[in-house]
């Protein structure tokens, strides 16, 4: 415990490093996954190919990816940019499937009704499909956020500073409190992101709680 | 692209196929480690998952635990356990078993939950005992999702076994860490490529197994496009088994 109190500055700095590493991948992966997931949902032909590709991307272990990536994109292995790219790849891999599933979860009848009242193309996507897929997208984004925060720590092994540096440093110097502090901060950061996203979801989709159990209502009608 | 040629040369260099740290030895270590970890995790998680899936009890707790563990950083757990029990194989085994349990558990109980209640009720109506329902209805029908859970656990363990080399002399990850220390990028890249190929091979094998275990005459394997009519909700994101921290 004394280690923690006397090193609050260090912990704070590493938390900031961690934020810089994990916020861009979360936002970027959502933005990149949206069109890819949409085309996976829209076009039957591309669906299998896209979903298989993202599945394989997600299967790549993180540490090897951190090492292979510089050889492909020409970044420095120890640069945070390298880590941001790798984490974005994982985020996209997770989100594409979620976007595709989310769009598929929109009731076909609803889509047809929307078409019937005159929605088409872009406006159908922005005003009908996307909002209705919102809760599923949010759930996926929460998973991306939490696993990105957790995964960012691995970068410490190749020398990119983050809360993970507390693990490598604590391990090398034999300070248990440092590792524990790193774990607690990582989990707290992940939870903070998670809560933040839930809050954002409530703000952006105030209707979602009211319509949460559509299946239950369907059952009742039957 | 010369770096890739260097890495390829390193992989094909006959010198790396002899002695203590030879590539086949490291590969075997990596695989055995993965297999044993999965076995221990399954021995704990599968019966527990079946129990939760069959009775519906403790589901909230299971979801919370598997969700919460996603936030737990692997490297942190690994280094912490290594400091406790000392450098050696125990730390990776303990840490990775802990990480492998949630996906297997989730696969086991979501497999049971995804079964149409009407099927279970029908089995009960024709006079099957609870034990028979579990053995003859729920386990076969839940098997594809259980395999899905095992698949993500296996991938996670293979990935993290690489990281385990940080605290123990084990597996393909050693090449990454010795390369890091001696600034031998060819060795690091070669080792990384081997790990990636191994992970992709496992992914392929598991996707075949997952298809094979779908009972004949059951079309649950591929979810259909139209879901509005299904009588039960699909397992939602909170019970998704595919994602974990690596």
């Amino acid at each position: 415990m004394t280690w923690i109190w006397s090193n609050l500055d260090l912990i704070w700095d590493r938390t900031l490093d961690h934020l810089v590493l994990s916020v861009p991948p979360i936002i970027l992966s959502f933005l990149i996954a949206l069109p890819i997931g949409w085309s996976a949902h829209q076009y039957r032909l591309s669906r299998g190919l896209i979903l298989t590709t993202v599945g394989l991307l997600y299967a790549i272990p993180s540490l090897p990816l951190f090492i292979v990536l510089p050889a492909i994109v020409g970044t420095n292995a120890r640069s945070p940019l390298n880590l941001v790219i790798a984490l974005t790849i994982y985020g996209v891999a997770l989100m594409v499937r979620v976007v595709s599933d989310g769009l598929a979860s929109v009731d076909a009848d609803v889509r047809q009704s929307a078409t019937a009242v005159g929605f088409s193309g872009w406006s159908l996507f922005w005003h009908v499909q996307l909002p209705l897929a919102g809760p599923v997208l949010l759930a996926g984004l929460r998973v991306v956020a939490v696993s990105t925060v957790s995964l960012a720590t691995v970068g410490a092994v190749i020398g990119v500073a983050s809360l993970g540096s507390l693990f490598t440093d604590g391990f090398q110097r034999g300070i248990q409190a440092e590792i524990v502090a790193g774990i607690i901060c990582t989990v707290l950061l992940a939870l903070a992101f998670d809560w933040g996203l839930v809050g954002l979801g409530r703000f952006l989709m105030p209707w979602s709680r009211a319509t949460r159990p559509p299946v239950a209502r369907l059952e009742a009608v039957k | 692209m010369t770096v890739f040629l260097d890495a390829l040369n390193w992989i094909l260099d006959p010198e790396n196929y002899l002695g203590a740290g030879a590539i086949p030895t490291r590969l075997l270590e990596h695989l055995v480690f993965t297999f044993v970890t999965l076995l221990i995790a399954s021995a704990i998680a599968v019966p527990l998952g079946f129990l939760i899936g069959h009775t519906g009890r403790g589901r909230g707790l299971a979801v919370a635990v598997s969700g919460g563990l996603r936030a737990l950083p692997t490297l942190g757990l690994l280094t912490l356990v290594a400091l406790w029990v000392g450098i050696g194989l125990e730390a990776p085994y303990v840490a990775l078993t802990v990480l492998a349990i949630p996906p297997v558990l989730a696969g086991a109980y979501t497999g049971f939950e995804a079964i149409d209640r009407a099927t279970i009720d029908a089995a009960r109506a024709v006079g099957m005992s609870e034990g028979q329902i579990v053995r003859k209805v729920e386990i076969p029908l839940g098997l594809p999702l259980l395999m899905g859970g095992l698949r993500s656990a296996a991938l996670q363990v293979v990935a993290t076994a690489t990281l385990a080399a940080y605290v123990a002399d084990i597996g393909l990850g050693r090449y990454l860490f010795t390369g890091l220390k001696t600034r031998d990028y060819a060795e690091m890249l070669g080792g990384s490529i081997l790990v990636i190929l191994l992970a992709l091979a496992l992914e392929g094998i598991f996707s075949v197994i997952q298809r094979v275990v779908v009972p004949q005459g059951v079309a649950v394997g591929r979810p259909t496009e139209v879901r509005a009519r299904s009588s039960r909700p699909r397992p939602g994101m909170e019970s998704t088994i595919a994602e974990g921290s690596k």
Side-chain angles (χ1 to χ4, degrees), chain A residues 97-220:
Chain A
R97 179 169 280 276
V98 173
V99 172
S100 156
D101 281 355
L103 292 175
S105 75
V106 177
D107 198 325
D109 291 346
V110 171
R111 222 170 40 230
Q112 283 175 354
S113 317
T115 313
V117 297
F119 283 101
S120 69
W122 275 108
S123 62
L124 177 72
F125 176 75
W126 284 111
H127 297 295
V128 181
Q129 287 180 300
L130 192 63
L132 286 179
V136 178
L137 299 189
L138 178 67
L141 203 57
R142 289 173 64 189
V143 175
V144 170
V146 171
S147 58
T148 300
V149 169
S150 171
L151 214 48
T153 58
V154 176
V157 168
I158 52 169
V160 180
S162 70
L163 284 170
S165 310
L166 301 180
F167 305 151
T168 49
D169 190 57
F171 177 66
Q172 273 154 17
R173 292 164 52 194
I175 308 171
Q176 265 185 23
E178 186 172 6
I179 300 180
V180 173
I183 294 178
I184 292 173
C185 287
T186 311
V187 172
L188 284 183
L189 198 62
L191 284 181
F193 275 50
D194 196 42
W195 288 332
L197 283 171
V198 171
L200 193 69
R202 292 218 174 124
F203 174 71
L204 290 175
M205 302 179 285
W207 70 87
S208 67
R209 265 178 301 169
T211 55
R212 180 57 53 81
V215 182
R217 270 185 310 157
L218 272 179
E219 290 297 276

Side-chain angles (χ1 to χ4, degrees), chain A residues 41 44 47 55-65 67-72 77-78 90 94 98 101 104-105 107-109 136 139-140 143 146-147 150-151 153-154 156-158 164 167-172 174-176 179-180 182-183 186-187 190 215 218-219 222, chain B residues 1 3-4 67-80 82-84 87 155 158-160 162-163 166-167 173 176-177 180 183 185 188-189 191-193 195-196 199-200 203-204 223 225-234 237-238 240 242-246:
Chain A
H41 166 71
R44 205 161 271 280
R47 186 183 167 77
L56 288 180
L57 279 181
Y58 198 74
I60 297 175
S62 53
L63 183 58
L65 182 63
I67 293 170
V68 170
L69 210 54
I72 300 172
R78 284 163 196 271
Y90 287 126
L94 269 171
V98 173
D101 281 355
S105 75
D107 198 325
D109 291 346
V136 178
V143 175
V146 171
S147 58
S150 171
L151 214 48
T153 58
V154 176
V157 168
I158 52 169
F167 305 151
T168 49
D169 190 57
F171 177 66
Q172 273 154 17
I175 308 171
Q176 265 185 23
I179 300 180
V180 173
I183 294 178
T186 311
V187 172
V215 182
L218 272 179
E219 290 297 276
K222 276 189 223 161
Chain B
M1 287 299 108
V3 278
F4 277 109
L69 274 177
R70 189 175 288 144
L72 190 68
T74 312
L75 185 63
L77 188 64
L78 204 60
T79 46
L80 190 64
L83 270 196
W84 266 334
I87 294 181
L155 279 179
V158 160
T160 321
T162 318
L163 214 50
Y166 186 68
V167 298
L176 275 60
F177 289 103
L180 200 62
R183 303 196 168 266
Y185 193 62
M188 279 169 81
L189 193 59
S192 300
I193 292 171
V195 178
I196 291 173
L200 293 181
E203 169 84 352
E225 285 295 317
V226 183
R227 286 176 189 142
R229 299 282 180 268
S230 69
S231 56
R232 267 178 70 87
R234 260 168 28 99
M237 277 308 298
E238 81 273 13
T240 290
E243 299 81 22
S245 55
K246 295 189 187 193

